[in-house]
C-alpha cells in the first residue's frame, strides 16, 4: 500500500478515516473535514453500482486537497490493518455501503458483503487499536420500515424493515451496539433522510429525473394504494455534513476510564416533507424543460410511502439545524449538474458506460 500518512502528520491531534470517501456523502464529509484542517484519509472500493468515473472525479477533487483515497475493500483485513497501523486514526467515519433499495432484489449478496460483513471487519480492526478510535457510521431512515407514526423518532420501533437494504442498516446499528457493549467502543449512528445535492448519486431520484428530463425521456413516478403520492424528507447534503461534523465533534472517546463512551443514534433530516411530484415540478422549472411524467403503481420494491424526521435529539446534542429548503437545494444541484455534465449531457452519456440502473 502506498504511504498516505507521513510521520509529521501522525502527530496531528485528530486523524479521520472516511470509508466510502469517493461516494456522495463521503466525498462532501471528507472535503469539509480537510477544509477545517484535519488529517483525512479516504477508503473506497470504487465498485460499478453507478458510473465509476463520477467516483474517480470526486476522488480527484479530494486528492487536490491532499486527501488520499485508498482503493481497497472493507473486507480486506490486511489492508485495513496496514492502514490503521500507519495512520493511527482517532475517528472513523464509516459511510461505505452498498446503496439502493430496489437493487437489493437483484443482488442481495452485495448488501450482506458490504453493509454487514465489511462493517464487522472494520470494527474488528478498530477494537484492537490503542487508543481505540471513535466510530460514527451511516444508518438510514429506511430502518423505520412501514411505520405510520410521523415524524419518525429514534425511539420508534425499527425491527420491521421493508427492504433488505433497511435490514442491513438496522443490522449495522445492532452490531455497533454490541461493540459498544463488549469493547466500550464509542459509536454513533446517523439515520440519513433522502440526501440530495451536487455530486449526488445517479441512481437517486433527483439525479435520475434530471438526466431523463434533459434527455427528453419519460420519468417514472411511483404511487401507493389509491394513487397515494410518495413523499420524502429531502435533506440537502450541506445540512447532512453539518450533522456529521457535529456528531464527530460531540462524541465521547472509546474505552476511556474517565468518560463513558457513546451509544447514540440520531435522525438527520430536513423535517419538511415534499411529494415526489413537488420535487419534479421544481426540477422542471429550474431545468427549463417540461418533464414527461408517467405515474405507475409502486411494486414490491421495499420502498416506503413517506418519510419524516424528528431531529430534536440531534439538535439538543450538537445543535443540528437544517438551513436549506428544497428549492434552494435543487438550485444548487442543477447549477452543478450543468457545470459537470454540460448542457447537452454528452459527458454524462460517455460516463455511464457500464452503469447499473436501479
Amino acid at each position: 500500500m502506498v504511504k498516505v500518512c507521513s510521520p509529521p502528520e501522525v502527530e496531528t491531534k485528530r486523524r479521520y478515516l472516511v470509508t466510502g470517501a469517493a461516494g456522495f456523502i463521503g466525498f462532501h464529509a471528507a472535503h469539509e473535514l480537510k477544509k477545517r484542517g484535519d488529517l483525512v484519509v479516504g477508503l473506497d472500493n470504487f465498485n460499478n453500482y453507478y458510473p465509476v468515473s463520477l467516483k474517480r472525479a470526486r476522488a480527484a477533487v479530494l486528492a487536490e486537497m491532499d486527501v488520499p483515497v485508498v482503493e481497497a475493500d472493507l473486507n480486506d483485513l490486511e489492508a485495513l490493518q496496514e492502514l490503521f497501523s500507519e495512520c493511527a486514526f482517532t475517528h472513523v467515519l464509516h459511510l461505505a455501503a452498498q446503496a439502493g433499495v430496489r437493487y437489493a432484489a437483484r443482488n442481495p449478496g452485495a448488501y450482506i458483503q458490504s453493509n454487514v460483513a465489511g462493517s464487522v471487519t472494520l470494527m474488528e480492526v478498530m477494537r484492537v487499536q490503542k487508543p481505540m478510535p471513535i466510530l460514527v457510521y451511516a444508518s438510514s431512515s429506511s430502518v423505520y420500515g412501514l411505520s405510520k407514526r410521523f415524524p419518525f423518532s429514534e425511539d420508534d420501533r425499527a425491527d420491521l424493515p421493508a427492504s433488505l437494504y433497511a435490514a442491513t442498516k438496522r443490522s449495522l446499528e445492532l452490531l455497533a451496539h454490541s461493540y459498544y457493549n463488549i469493547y466500550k467502543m464509542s459509536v454513533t449512528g446517523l439515520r440519513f433522510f433522502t440526501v440530495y445535492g451536487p455530486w449526488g448519486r445517479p441512481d437517486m431520484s433527483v439525479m435520475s429525473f434530471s438526466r431523463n428530463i434533459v434527455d427528453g425521456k419519460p420519468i417514472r413516478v411511483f404511487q401507493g394504494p389509491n394513487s397515494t403520492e410518495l413523499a420524502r424528507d429531502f435533506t440537502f447534503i450541506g445540512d447532512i455534513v453539518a450533522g456529521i461534523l457535529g456528531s464527530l465533534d460531540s462524541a465521547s472517546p472509546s474505552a476511556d476510564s474517565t468518560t463513558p463512551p457513546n451509544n447514540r443514534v440520531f435522525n438527520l433530516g430536513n423535517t419538511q416533507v415534499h411529494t415526489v411530484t413537488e420535487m419534479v415540478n421544481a426540477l422542471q422549472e429550474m431545468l427549463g424543460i417540461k418533464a414527461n411524467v408517467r405515474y405507475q403503481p409502486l411494486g414490491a420494491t421495499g420502498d416506503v410511502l413517506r418519510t419524516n424526521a424528528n431531529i430534536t435529539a440531534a439538535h439538543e446534542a450538537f445543535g443540528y439545524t437544517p438551513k436549506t429548503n428544497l428549492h434552494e437545494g435543487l438550485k444548487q444541484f442543477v447549477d452543478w449538474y450543468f457545470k459537470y455534465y454540460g448542457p447537452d449531457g454528452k459527458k454524462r452519456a460517455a460516463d455511464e458506460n457500464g452503469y447499473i440502473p436501479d
Side-chain angles (χ1 to χ4, degrees):
M1 181 182 294
V2 177
K3 293 292 183 182
V4 292
C5 293
S6 61
E9 291 176 317
V10 173
E11 299 303 320
T12 304
K13 184 177 181 181
R14 291 191 172 203
R15 299 174 297 279
Y16 293 86
L17 173 65
V18 180
T19 73
F24 172 35
I25 301 175
F27 162 74
H28 283 280
H31 187 279
E32 289 305 306
L33 286 167
K34 184 63 178 181
K35 272 181 61 178
R36 71 181 196 178
D38 294 315
L39 171 69
V40 185
V41 175
L43 179 78
D44 206 288
N45 69 357
F46 291 91
N47 71 22
N48 69 340
Y49 169 64
Y50 62 82
V52 177
S53 55
L54 181 57
K55 299 179 182 182
R56 297 288 182 194
R58 296 185 189 122
V61 173
L62 292 177
E64 291 176 359
M65 301 180 67
D66 197 25
V67 177
V69 180
V70 176
E71 185 165 356
D73 193 275
L74 280 175
N75 289 286
D76 187 338
L77 177 62
E78 185 176 336
L80 284 181
Q81 290 172 330
E82 183 178 346
L83 192 57
F84 274 82
S85 176
E86 180 187 345
C87 296
F89 296 111
T90 60
H91 296 70
V92 174
L93 177 57
H94 178 34
L95 302 175
Q98 175 58 59
V101 170
R102 296 170 205 152
Y103 182 59
R106 295 162 49 191
N107 190 4
Y111 291 76
I112 303 302
Q113 184 75 2
S114 178
N115 303 2
V116 179
S119 297
V120 170
T121 303
L122 175 65
M123 289 186 285
E124 277 293 293
V125 174
M126 289 178 61
R127 74 174 178 85
V128 298
Q129 304 302 311
K130 297 187 183 304
M132 189 189 304
I134 291 166
L135 175 65
V136 173
Y137 63 91
S139 186
S140 168
S141 63
S142 66
V143 301
Y144 292 109
L146 301 176
S147 173
K148 292 181 172 58
R149 179 183 174 186
F150 300 105
F152 298 151
S153 296
E154 291 88 348
D155 57 358
D156 289 348
R157 290 187 65 177
D159 57 355
L160 296 172
S163 67
L164 179 66
Y165 169 72
T168 62
K169 284 299 186 179
R170 181 57 178 155
S171 296
L172 174 53
E173 292 183 356
L174 298 175
L175 288 165
H177 179 272
S178 71
Y179 278 80
Y180 157 78
N181 183 58
I182 299 171
Y183 305 109
K184 307 308 176 188
M185 184 180 293
S186 183
V187 299
T188 300
L190 303 176
R191 293 173 175 172
F192 298 141
F193 281 70
T194 315
V195 190
Y196 72 98
W199 295 97
R201 280 190 4 231
D203 64 308
M204 295 189 73
S205 59
V206 170
M207 178 81 94
S208 65
F209 286 175
S210 297
R211 178 178 67 237
N212 285 352
I213 291 171
V214 170
D215 289 351
K217 297 178 180 178
I219 61 175
R220 297 180 300 165
V221 175
F222 294 105
Q223 294 181 317
N226 302 315
S227 299
T228 304
E229 279 271 21
L230 270 63
R232 294 289 182 266
D233 194 331
F234 293 100
T235 311
F236 186 65
I237 183 61
D239 292 325
I240 288 291
V241 171
I244 290 172
L245 267 60
S247 66
L248 287 165
D249 293 343
S250 64
S252 296
S254 295
D256 187 278
S257 60
T258 58
T259 307
N262 290 128
N263 172 38
R264 309 183 297 176
V265 176
F266 295 111
N267 290 335
L268 292 187
N270 179 273
T271 76
Q272 302 299 312
V273 179
H274 297 272
T275 66
V276 174
T277 295
E278 287 178 290
M279 182 267 284
V280 170
N281 289 339
L283 274 180
Q284 290 180 106
E285 176 188 340
M286 294 172 194
L287 293 168
I289 306 171
K290 185 172 178 56
N292 178 6
V293 181
R294 296 185 181 178
Y295 291 95
Q296 64 182 70
L298 181 65
T301 61
D303 270 324
V304 298
L305 297 180
R306 178 185 175 93
T307 63
N308 184 201
N310 180 332
I311 61 170
T312 301
H315 179 75
E316 292 178 350
F318 46 83
Y320 176 67
T321 307
K323 299 177 180 178
T324 309
N325 64 38
L326 182 61
H327 192 274
E328 293 168 348
L330 288 176
K331 179 64 169 61
Q332 292 189 47
F333 165 77
V334 168
D335 289 346
W336 168 82
Y337 183 89
F338 284 127
K339 181 179 180 181
Y340 183 79
Y341 288 120
D344 55 9
K346 287 182 179 178
K347 181 179 186 300
R348 190 205 67 247
D351 282 351
E352 291 186 350
N353 291 328
Y355 168 47
I356 303 172
D358 201 13

